[in-house]
Amino acid sequence: MTPERFISQLELAAQSEAVRWARRHTRDVLSAWSVPSDHIDSAALAVSELVTNAVKHAAPPDDDPSPTPARLTLRHRYTHLIVEVADPDTRPPISDGNSEPSEIGGRGLFIVDTISKEWGYYLPPTGGKVVWCVMALD
């Protein structure tokens, strides 16, 4: 198992602003870790897609005023970066790479699949799910 070089976590409310804050956090953290800018751009895109899905599918019902938290974790492991987004929804993520070009949305996991080495999800014992992707840094 490759040791972690750095780790960062950010708690996010399941609200539309979470995507912007997650992307900004990712850029700031990876810059501080001296990750090359082209890898930062790809990681920020993956984070945007994963957090967008978490916000969209794990938002609380309209009659619940409290935003449900999501958590972004970045793990720098020398030659690769692991991006994890946790949310309280246990439904598995669905990749729809067959979306029509005219449709808005529906391609987030297809994009993550395209720009990452691999991606997947798991159901942690604490509940919810974690969707993750691995990005090469070499």
Side-chain angles (χ1 to χ4, degrees):
M1 185 164 121
T2 306
E4 291 176 348
R5 183 171 179 204
F6 302 110
I7 186 168
S8 173
Q9 289 190 322
L10 178 65
E11 295 288 327
L12 299 158
Q15 298 175 335
S16 59
E17 298 85 27
V19 177
R20 178 173 47 95
W21 287 110
R23 191 172 42 246
R24 182 176 184 171
H25 175 80
T26 299
R27 288 186 176 283
D28 290 347
V29 167
L30 297 185
S31 291
W33 291 347
S34 300
V35 171
S37 61
D38 57 330
H39 294 302
I40 292 174
D41 292 341
S42 296
L45 178 57
V47 164
S48 291
E49 298 302 335
L50 295 179
V51 172
T52 296
N53 285 346
V55 168
K56 180 178 176 183
H57 298 293
D62 290 336
D63 59 349
D64 182 356
S66 60
T68 305
R71 185 179 64 253
L72 167 65
T73 304
L74 303 172
R75 300 176 192 277
H76 187 303
R77 291 197 170 168
Y78 295 96
T79 60
H80 59 281
L81 175 74
I82 300 170
V83 175
E84 299 173 327
V85 177
D87 68 59
D89 188 2
T90 58
R91 291 176 292 177
I94 298 170
S95 178
D96 186 8
N98 298 322
S99 295
E100 293 295 322
S102 60
E103 289 182 45
I104 297 175
R107 291 177 288 281
L109 291 174
F110 176 75
I111 292 169
V112 170
D113 185 54
T114 302
I115 63 174
S116 67
K117 288 176 58 174
E118 61 182 314
W119 74 273
Y121 80 99
Y122 64 92
L123 302 176
T126 55
K129 74 173 171 298
V130 175
V131 182
W132 56 268
C133 69
V134 177
M135 308 194 75
L137 295 177
D138 46 6

